């Protein structure tokens, strides 16, 4: 048997076996007079494109009493000619910057601030009656190296200055900020809950930078909701460490108002596990607001190694996404939104993008066709959106 590529293997599994084996001379040990057995797996039938057209305002209106409906966007999606701009205006009432409010964009070199793109995003929101979630003041990525140089006191002064500049500029215009993003370790055997990162090192080998960032943000805008934000909160180990850190911040009077759950999920995720993260925070910290900050549902479950080492990744479906996967995604979206509405601490739900055409998951952890959002590549609303909005629809 020759070495097949991942795409070839997929073809074999999906009924293209005869053509493939003919093409490679009968394959492996088969003699020229003995045709290889033909795999009779029925071909995958891609689902028909959804024909659902939501009414103008239907998405945000459906949850108006519960939470804001947000999307992560880039400035190119706000121009009038962009089809995404129309979807945003029609269906959403909140935006986050996908990456254009991070330090490497706002302050690429020390002492300079470039507000061009963040201003555009905030203006777009205001022009269209949307609120803005600020994302993110402090992260271990997308931050220029100069932030980490010098003594802990110098690092602190620089961080406080950055947070003060950014939060003050949008005081009263950005209703919530992710103050710290992804500060929890993934290591289940770690002896403390904190990520070892450039920030940890620059603080002098501790997590004091978290306090510095929150205190500076509160001083710059007393009314803005200040969030800690984290991924994989559906896993009990990560969730436990997250809660330990939040409890410590709250106990020490650090001004945390809200808990963010990114919710980068996949079609194998159980809604109950994601919702359990919301409940766990509610149980511990009644009164803290919760936001779903980066929701998407990948078509590809991760066997454990794909995100970490880009190995063992599920093969690209290409344009042949099985109908069962699309149904499963729609059912999961429905179960999540039903669960979100039952949890009064949730006041904002943001999808990490608008359409499948512009999702980070087409490139991360590997390049493959993904479709994790609620509008498809042609900006047609997907069955997942219909499942969220129409209880009688069977995806
Ligand atoms: C994380 C970050 C986001 C974004 C995504 C990938 O979830 O919090 O800001 O960078 O990764 O798009």
């Amino acid at each position: 048997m020759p070495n097949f590529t991942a795409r070839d293997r997929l073809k074999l599994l999906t009924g293209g076996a005869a053509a493939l084996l003919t093409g490679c001379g009968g394959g492996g040990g088969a003699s020229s007079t003995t045709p290889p057995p033909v795999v009779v797996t029925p071909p995958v039938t891609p689902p028909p494109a959804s024909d659902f057209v939501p009414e103008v305002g239907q998405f945000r209106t459906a949850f108006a009493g519960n939470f804001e409906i947000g999307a992560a966007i880039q400035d190119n999606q706000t121009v009038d000619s962009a089809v995404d701009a129309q979807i945003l205006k029609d269906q959403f009432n909140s935006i986050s910057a996908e990456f254009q409010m991070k330090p490497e964009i706002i302050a690429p070199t020390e002492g300079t601030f470039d507000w061009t793109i963040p201003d555009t995003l905030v203006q777009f929101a205001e022009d269209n009656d949307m609120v803005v979630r600020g994302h993110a003041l402090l992260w271990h990525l997308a931050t220029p190296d100069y932030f980490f140089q010098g003594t802990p006191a110098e690092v602190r002064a620089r961080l406080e200055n950055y947070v003060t500049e950014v939060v003050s500029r949008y005081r009263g215009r950005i209703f919530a900020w992710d103050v710290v993003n992804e500060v929890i370790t993934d290591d289940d055997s770690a002896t403390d809950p904190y990520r070892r990162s450039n920030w940890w090192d620059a603080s002098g080998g501790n997590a004091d930078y978290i306090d510095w960032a929150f205190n500076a943000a509160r001083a710059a805008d007393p009314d803005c909701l200040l969030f800690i934000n984290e991924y994989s909160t559906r896993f009990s180990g990560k969730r436990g460490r997250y809660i330990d850190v939040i409890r410590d911040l709250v106990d020490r009077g650090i001004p945390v108002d809200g808990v963010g759950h990114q919710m980068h999920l996949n079609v194998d995720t159980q809604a109950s596990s994601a919702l359990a993260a919301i409940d766990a925070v509610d149980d511990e910290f009644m009164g803290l607001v919760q936001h779903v900050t980066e929701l998407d549902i990948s078509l590809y479950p991760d066997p454990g190694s794909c995100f970490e080492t880009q190995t063992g990744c599920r093969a690209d479906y290409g344009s042949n996404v099985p109908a069962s996967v699309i149904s499963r995604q729609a059912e999961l979206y429905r179960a999540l939104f039903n669960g979100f509405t039952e949890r009064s601490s949730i006041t904002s739900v943001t999808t990490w993008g608008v359409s499948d055409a512009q999702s980070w998951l087409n490139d991360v952890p590997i390049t493959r066709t993904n479709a994790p959002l609620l509008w498809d590549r042609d900006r047609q609303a997907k069955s997942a959106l219909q499942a969220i909005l129409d209880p009688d629809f069977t995806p």
Side-chain angles (χ1 to χ4, degrees), residues 219-257:
D221 186 347
D223 299 321
C224 181
L225 295 175
L226 305 182
F227 273 73
I228 184 168
N229 192 42
E230 194 52 68
Y231 64 90
S232 290
T233 61
R234 68 186 187 279
F235 298 116
S236 59
K238 188 77 175 278
R239 177 159 77 229
R241 293 189 289 280
Y242 197 30
I243 286 177
D244 286 347
V245 168
I246 299 164
R247 186 192 299 111
D248 173 62
L249 293 170
V250 170
D251 286 353
R252 291 188 299 105
I254 303 300
V256 181
D257 302 307

Side-chain angles (χ1 to χ4, degrees), residues 72 97-99 102 135-136 139 141-142 178 181-182 229-231 262 264 293-294 296 352 359-361 364:
E98 185 174 355
F99 60 87
K102 288 178 178 162
H135 174 83
W139 194 30
L141 300 173
D178 289 331
N181 191 34
E182 304 184 349
N229 192 42
E230 194 52 68
Y231 64 90
Q262 292 187 1
H264 294 295
T293 54
E294 304 185 19
D296 50 24
W352 205 243
S359 164
W360 68 302
L361 291 171
V364 179

Side-chain angles (χ1 to χ4, degrees), residues 51 55 97 173 207-208 218 225 258 263 285 308 316 354 374 384:
D51 57 4
E55 289 165 27
R173 302 176 73 195
D208 289 354
R218 172 56 79 238
L225 295 175
M263 293 205 189
F285 310 103
E308 205 59 37
D316 190 346
V354 176
L374 296 172

Side-chain angles (χ1 to χ4, degrees), residues 278-349:
I278 307 292
D279 293 339
V281 173
D282 276 340
D283 288 348
E284 284 270 336
F285 310 103
M286 271 301 196
L288 285 188
V289 172
Q290 301 202 66
H291 287 182
V292 177
T293 54
E294 304 185 19
L295 178 62
D296 50 24
I297 302 177
S298 172
L299 303 179
Y300 304 95
D302 189 340
S305 56
C306 187
F307 257 89
E308 205 59 37
T309 58
Q310 292 77 59
T311 57
C313 299
R314 301 277 177 112
D316 190 346
Y317 286 125
S319 55
N320 278 331
V321 183
S324 60
V325 172
I326 295 293
S327 304
R328 168 70 194 134
Q329 183 189 56
E331 279 162 5
L332 180 52
Y333 264 116
R334 169 183 281 165
L336 288 167
F337 273 79
N338 285 343
F340 297 156
T341 55
E342 289 162 2
R343 288 161 173 80
S344 60
S345 61
I346 298 182
T347 57
S348 170
V349 175

Side-chain angles (χ1 to χ4, degrees), residues 1 4 6-24 26 36-45 320:
M1 200 79 157
F4 290 132
R7 194 176 287 274
D8 291 338
R9 273 195 293 274
L10 187 69
K11 264 196 204 158
L12 275 171
L13 289 171
T14 56
L20 203 68
L21 291 173
T22 306
C24 65
V38 173
V39 180
V40 286
T41 312
V44 167
T45 313
N320 278 331

